[in-house]
Amino acid sequence: MSKLDELNPLFYPRAVAVVGATDNPSKHGNWYLRSILGRGFPREHAYPVNPNEDKVLGIKSYPRVQDVPEQLDYVIFAVPRRLAKDILRDCVEAKVKFVVIFTSGFSESDLAPEEGRKLERELLEIISGSGTRIVGPNGMGVYSFDGHLSYPYLYNPPEDGPVSFASQSGGHTVGLAIMADFWSNIRFNKIVSFGNAIDLEVTDYLEYFAEDPKTKVINIYVEGVRDGPRFFRALREAIRVKPVVVWKGGWTSGGSRATLSHTGSLAGSNRIWRVVLKQAGAVQVFGMEELCDVTMAFLRINPPRGLNTAILGGGGGQSVVSTDECESAGLKVPPFSPETREKLSKIIPDIGTGIANPIDASYFVYNDLSMYSSLLDLVDKDPKIDFIILQHEAMLGERDEELFRILKDAKERLEKPFALVLYPSGGPFKYTPEMEAERLKLVKKYLDNGFLIYPSVYRASNAVCKVVWYYNFLQRCEKIENAEVPLKTA
């Protein structure tokens, strides 16, 4: 059985039950059922299970899982830890395919980790030999846009997306869904919060997302794995078909200790993790912000052929700093070709400007924004350039509208990938919260029109550099695989 067939009932269940469902709005059992119904899951296939309730949210409630009059694919435990074993036995008896044990207090417990680990072993013994699989414990479960699933706290965007996210942290799934949507217009097709991962672990979800036709980019947050070699093999196979961006938690010594009380995971050697991720071809990031940055770059531009970058805009000092930021991130800022410089000199007056790369058009371009059209076209044709960054500040009002039209027209005709860095206004007025709100509206407008946009040159450069590294890795792998191996002679 393929991993797609194995886990499809988890992400596309036909029938779901919430054990511990209640009309009490302060209980998680209520929140889970409401979140599923809110995602549009059919009420006739959503079952509250609670021996103390006749109806929950207007739906008939059942005393036990076995009493539900339909084969269940997906059951959520929103009950105290002491009830977990008995309910899991009920699920095995009812041949439930997947259970999400939201309940905490297992191996991640600071107060009684040994007792928690013992209970986890007992849960595994209960499902041994059965067809029932566990997500968690201490995990929030599944969000699936097409499967109409969600869980409490998770922002539910109205549109689908091409990214799927497997996270050992439930809080990070919520935070990323919100941050990625607001700052990067990234939306998700599937998310799974798998917690302590005593049964299904990150490698299972990685293998599934690699096969999933709805997933174009895979995001992972992981604190530890049980089977390192299997995870490495799955990574190597997955990156051949789609990018995998990995955020490894517990990177510092303090963070490594904290993983034990979060999901009970051993973080392992950071040096080994770095080597494993690099050798497998995964793109490593070190925070949620960077995860968004890199994922957006994968989604919004074709990969640059190389690292050579042109920078446009800004004053003399900003040109120096932008070059530092760009090259610190791993890109290069080479001089333009002599032909390009000659043509640039006919457009940009030789008064306090620079045309070698970066292009500093000083106040001339601020007075005549249409100059950007000619500059971008020239740089786009330079054979030494692979990628273009244009940095500018929000001017607000009609001038921003003019700049937007110019850049939108240019982006549609440029052959090389292009990123925009939009700074707060440096104009003569005091910068106020209201002006920043207008700038954020402008950022969203660029995002809605397909731009790759960042708040700094470094963040743009770092994200694009990692995209280039990934595609170069694929090319190296392809060359090795296609290399002719000489036959051995006797």
Side-chain angles (χ1 to χ4, degrees):
M1 179 187 296
S2 72
K3 188 60 72 171
L4 200 64
D5 292 334
E6 178 186 344
L7 294 190
N8 260 342
L10 175 62
F11 293 97
Y12 302 97
R14 290 169 296 182
V16 172
V18 178
V19 181
T22 172
D23 275 325
N24 185 337
S26 66
K27 299 291 187 180
H28 280 96
N30 178 275
W31 298 358
Y32 264 104
L33 188 57
R34 279 194 289 116
S35 67
I36 291 168
L37 297 176
R39 280 289 315 135
F41 196 86
R43 291 177 68 88
E44 63 270 23
H45 299 295
Y47 298 95
V49 174
N50 190 330
N52 301 315
E53 302 276 0
D54 294 326
K55 284 187 175 182
V56 177
L57 302 182
I59 303 174
K60 176 180 170 57
S61 179
Y62 294 87
R64 300 174 66 197
V65 171
Q66 297 97 317
D67 300 320
V68 171
E70 187 175 3
Q71 179 65 51
L72 292 167
D73 290 326
Y74 183 78
V75 173
I76 299 161
F77 289 20
V79 295
R81 186 182 70 166
R82 57 185 166 77
L83 302 177
K85 289 194 295 184
D86 288 340
I87 294 170
L88 185 59
R89 291 189 186 97
D90 290 347
C91 289
V92 169
E93 183 180 331
K95 301 187 186 309
V96 172
K97 293 180 180 177
F98 296 95
V99 301
V100 172
I101 303 180
F102 168 68
T103 312
S104 60
F106 293 84
S107 60
E108 84 286 354
S109 171
D110 283 333
L111 298 177
E114 287 302 324
E115 181 183 346
R117 279 190 279 272
K118 177 176 179 293
L119 183 52
E120 287 179 350
R121 290 192 296 270
E122 291 171 345
L123 294 176
L124 287 174
E125 290 172 3
I126 291 170
I127 66 167
S128 177
S130 74
T132 301
R133 305 300 303 271
I134 296 174
V135 179
N138 187 34
M140 290 188 178
V142 169
Y143 165 88
S144 173
F145 186 89
D146 300 306
H148 305 290
L149 294 179
S150 188
Y151 49 83
Y153 321 119
L154 184 63
Y155 164 64
N156 291 313
E159 295 91 10
D160 191 6
V163 184
S164 289
F165 182 31
S167 173
Q168 207 153 3
S169 164
H172 284 335
T173 65
V174 178
L176 184 64
I178 296 170
M179 177 182 282
D181 188 4
F182 182 81
W183 290 108
S184 310
N185 271 28
I186 295 170
R187 297 183 181 93
F188 295 85
N189 185 265
K190 298 177 182 71
I191 300 173
V192 58
S193 158
F194 55 87
N196 297 8
I198 63 170
D199 180 24
L200 291 170
E201 63 169 330
V202 64
T203 309
D204 294 287
Y205 307 115
L206 172 60
E207 291 169 346
Y208 175 83
F209 292 150
E211 294 184 29
D212 179 28
K214 293 278 189 175
T215 301
K216 305 305 178 187
V217 178
I218 300 171
N219 286 176
I220 288 174
Y221 171 79
V222 63
E223 295 174 1
V225 295
R226 290 196 307 274
D227 188 341
R230 181 187 166 215
F231 178 68
F232 177 66
R233 290 192 300 271
L235 267 180
R236 283 195 305 183
E237 293 174 8
I239 67 99
R240 303 301 181 93
V241 292
K242 58 193 71 172
V244 182
V245 186
V246 179
W247 175 15
K248 168 64 175 66
W251 191 249
T252 65
S253 59
S256 182
R257 290 194 304 273
T259 63
L260 285 172
S261 60
H262 180 218
T263 57
S265 297
L266 291 172
S269 165
N270 295 330
R271 183 180 63 84
I272 292 175
W273 269 96
R274 186 188 292 273
V275 170
V276 163
L277 294 177
K278 185 175 182 179
Q279 287 186 350
V283 176
Q284 184 173 12
V285 297
F286 295 90
M288 189 177 295
E289 188 177 82
E290 189 181 14
L291 185 62
C292 291
D293 286 351
V294 174
T295 301
M296 179 169 60
F298 273 118
L299 294 174
R300 289 190 166 241
I301 59 170
N302 293 322
R305 296 171 305 179
L307 300 172
N308 290 342
T309 304
I311 304 175
L312 286 74
Q318 186 61 44
S319 296
V320 173
V321 172
S322 299
T323 303
D324 287 341
E325 290 181 323
C326 198
E327 296 203 342
S328 295
L331 298 181
K332 299 176 181 178
V333 186
F336 294 125
S337 68
E339 294 80 7
T340 299
R341 277 181 282 174
E342 181 180 353
K343 293 175 181 178
L344 288 172
S345 68
K346 296 176 180 178
I347 299 173
I348 302 174
D350 187 18
I351 306 173
T353 58
I355 59 173
N357 194 20
I359 294 176
D360 171 17
S362 189
Y363 61 87
F364 296 105
V365 75
Y366 283 81
N367 290 336
D368 181 11
L369 293 172
S370 65
M371 187 183 290
Y372 275 135
S373 293
S374 301
L375 298 179
L376 286 167
D377 287 342
L378 280 175
V379 170
D380 190 48
K381 293 180 174 63
D382 192 312
K384 297 178 68 175
I385 297 302
D386 305 309
F387 175 61
I388 303 169
I389 296 176
L390 188 147
Q391 53 182 340
H392 203 82
E393 63 184 41
M395 295 172 291
L396 308 180
E398 293 182 2
R399 302 221 67 206
D400 269 328
E401 288 296 324
E402 181 184 358
L403 180 63
F404 173 77
R405 289 193 299 270
I406 290 168
L407 296 185
K408 186 173 185 293
D409 290 342
K411 185 178 77 69
E412 291 172 357
R413 66 177 181 270
L414 294 178
E415 294 183 1
K416 292 171 182 173
F418 163 68
L420 174 64
V421 174
L422 191 68
Y423 300 116
S425 173
F429 304 105
K430 179 181 179 181
Y431 203 72
T432 64
E434 290 77 15
M435 292 174 71
E436 176 63 6
E438 289 300 314
R439 187 186 73 88
L440 293 179
K441 290 179 184 178
L442 187 59
V443 169
K444 292 296 284 185
K445 183 175 180 178
Y446 279 106
L447 285 169
D448 290 342
N449 281 271
F451 279 82
L452 183 64
I453 182 169
Y454 295 98
S456 72
V457 169
Y458 180 82
R459 283 177 59 178
S461 303
N462 178 65
V464 171
C465 186
K466 293 195 172 187
V467 169
V468 174
W469 178 88
Y470 168 76
Y471 284 105
N472 284 344
F473 181 91
L474 290 185
Q475 289 179 349
R476 291 194 299 271
C477 291
E478 186 176 352
K479 287 179 181 178
I480 293 172
E481 291 171 354
N482 294 336
E484 293 186 6
V485 180
L487 296 174
K488 291 184 178 179
T489 57

